[in-house]
Amino acid sequence: MKRILSKKTLRKFWEKYPNSKDYFETWYETVKLATWNSPNKIQQFYATISILKNSRVVFNIKGNDYRLVAKINYRKQWLFIRFIGTHLEYDQIDANKI
Protein backbone atom coordinates (compact mmCIF):
# COMPACT_ATOMS: atom_id res chain seq x y z
CA MET A 1 0.00 0.00 0.00
CA LYS A 2 1.40 3.37 -0.90
CA ARG A 3 -0.38 5.04 2.02
CA ILE A 4 -1.69 3.82 5.33
CA LEU A 5 -3.83 6.37 7.12
CA SER A 6 -2.89 6.73 9.88
CA LYS A 7 0.01 5.37 11.87
CA LYS A 8 -0.86 7.87 14.60
CA THR A 9 -4.06 5.87 15.22
CA LEU A 10 -1.96 2.74 15.69
CA ARG A 11 0.38 4.51 18.11
CA LYS A 12 -2.49 5.76 20.24
CA PHE A 13 -3.86 2.24 20.44
CA TRP A 14 -0.63 0.54 21.43
CA GLU A 15 -0.02 3.21 24.07
CA LYS A 16 -3.32 2.08 25.62
CA TYR A 17 -2.54 -1.64 25.04
CA PRO A 18 1.29 -1.94 25.17
CA ASN A 19 1.25 -5.71 24.52
CA SER A 20 -0.17 -4.95 21.05
CA LYS A 21 2.69 -2.74 19.87
CA ASP A 22 4.92 -5.38 18.26
CA TYR A 23 1.95 -6.95 16.48
CA PHE A 24 0.71 -3.68 15.03
CA GLU A 25 4.20 -2.57 14.03
CA THR A 26 4.64 -5.86 12.16
CA TRP A 27 1.20 -5.48 10.56
CA TYR A 28 2.05 -1.91 9.49
CA GLU A 29 5.40 -2.84 7.93
CA THR A 30 3.87 -5.82 6.12
CA VAL A 31 0.94 -3.86 4.72
CA LYS A 32 3.15 -0.93 3.70
CA LEU A 33 5.07 -3.26 1.36
CA ALA A 34 1.97 -4.98 -0.04
CA THR A 35 0.44 -4.34 -3.47
CA TRP A 36 -2.94 -5.96 -3.11
CA ASN A 37 -5.45 -5.33 -5.88
CA SER A 38 -8.39 -7.22 -4.36
CA PRO A 39 -9.60 -8.66 -1.06
CA ASN A 40 -8.76 -12.14 -2.35
CA LYS A 41 -5.10 -11.13 -2.68
CA ILE A 42 -5.11 -10.02 0.96
CA GLN A 43 -6.68 -13.31 1.97
CA GLN A 44 -3.88 -15.21 0.26
CA PHE A 45 -1.50 -13.50 2.69
CA TYR A 46 -3.74 -13.13 5.76
CA ALA A 47 -5.96 -16.20 5.82
CA THR A 48 -7.98 -15.01 8.84
CA ILE A 49 -9.27 -11.71 7.47
CA SER A 50 -12.96 -11.04 7.06
CA ILE A 51 -14.02 -9.40 3.82
CA LEU A 52 -16.88 -6.93 4.26
CA LYS A 53 -18.84 -4.76 1.86
CA ASN A 54 -17.77 -1.25 0.86
CA SER A 55 -14.10 -2.22 0.40
CA ARG A 56 -13.67 -3.00 4.08
CA VAL A 57 -11.47 -5.72 5.52
CA VAL A 58 -11.18 -6.88 9.14
CA PHE A 59 -7.72 -7.95 10.25
CA ASN A 60 -7.36 -10.19 13.30
CA ILE A 61 -4.32 -9.10 15.26
CA LYS A 62 -2.45 -10.99 18.00
CA GLY A 63 -4.34 -14.22 17.77
CA ASN A 64 -7.66 -12.43 17.41
CA ASP A 65 -7.19 -10.38 20.62
CA TYR A 66 -7.51 -7.21 18.55
CA ARG A 67 -9.37 -6.24 15.42
CA LEU A 68 -8.51 -3.63 12.84
CA VAL A 69 -11.07 -2.54 10.26
CA ALA A 70 -9.66 -0.94 7.15
CA LYS A 71 -11.23 0.60 4.08
CA ILE A 72 -9.04 0.03 1.05
CA ASN A 73 -8.80 1.90 -2.22
CA TYR A 74 -7.16 -0.79 -4.35
CA ARG A 75 -6.64 1.46 -7.36
CA LYS A 76 -4.72 4.12 -5.43
CA GLN A 77 -3.21 1.58 -3.00
CA TRP A 78 -4.46 3.49 0.04
CA LEU A 79 -5.57 1.89 3.28
CA PHE A 80 -7.70 3.88 5.73
CA ILE A 81 -7.84 2.61 9.30
CA ARG A 82 -11.49 2.90 10.31
CA PHE A 83 -11.39 1.09 13.67
CA ILE A 84 -8.94 -0.54 16.06
CA GLY A 85 -10.12 -2.27 19.18
CA THR A 86 -10.32 -5.35 21.30
CA HIS A 87 -12.43 -8.24 20.15
CA LEU A 88 -15.12 -7.16 22.64
CA GLU A 89 -15.10 -3.57 21.36
CA TYR A 90 -15.34 -4.84 17.80
CA ASP A 91 -18.46 -6.83 18.69
CA GLN A 92 -20.15 -3.56 19.65
CA ILE A 93 -19.75 -1.82 16.28
CA ASP A 94 -21.10 -2.24 12.77
CA ALA A 95 -17.88 -2.66 10.80
CA ASN A 96 -19.73 -2.19 7.50
CA LYS A 97 -20.67 1.38 8.43
CA ILE A 98 -17.66 2.84 10.17
Side-chain angles (χ1 to χ4, degrees):
M1 295 283 120
K2 292 179 184 175
R3 282 191 84 178
I4 301 172
L5 302 166
S6 109
K7 189 168 185 178
K8 182 179 178 182
T9 303
L10 290 171
R11 276 194 210 106
K12 283 183 179 181
F13 187 81
W14 73 53
E15 286 171 2
K16 184 176 178 180
Y17 298 98
N19 69 339
S20 71
K21 182 179 180 185
D22 291 343
Y23 296 91
F24 281 108
E25 284 182 327
T26 299
W27 176 87
Y28 181 86
E29 293 302 319
T30 301
V31 172
K32 187 171 70 170
L33 297 173
T35 54
W36 299 314
N37 59 9
S38 73
N40 292 333
K41 293 293 183 186
I42 301 171
Q43 202 158 40
Q44 289 174 1
F45 193 82
Y46 286 109
T48 62
I49 67 163
S50 298
I51 300 169
L52 306 177
K53 62 183 179 179
N54 298 322
S55 299
R56 286 174 170 73
V57 175
V58 180
F59 293 88
N60 301 309
I61 309 292
K62 192 180 178 280
N64 211 19
D65 286 351
Y66 305 109
R67 297 275 179 98
L68 184 147
V69 179
K71 183 170 184 173
I72 301 174
N73 182 317
Y74 296 98
R75 187 177 54 79
K76 291 184 179 181
Q77 290 292 291
W78 290 0
L79 183 143
F80 301 89
I81 297 171
R82 305 297 295 162
F83 169 85
I84 303 175
T86 65
H87 194 130
L88 182 62
E89 292 167 335
Y90 173 82
D91 288 342
Q92 298 171 9
I93 65 161
D94 183 348
N96 286 301
K97 293 184 179 178
I98 60 166

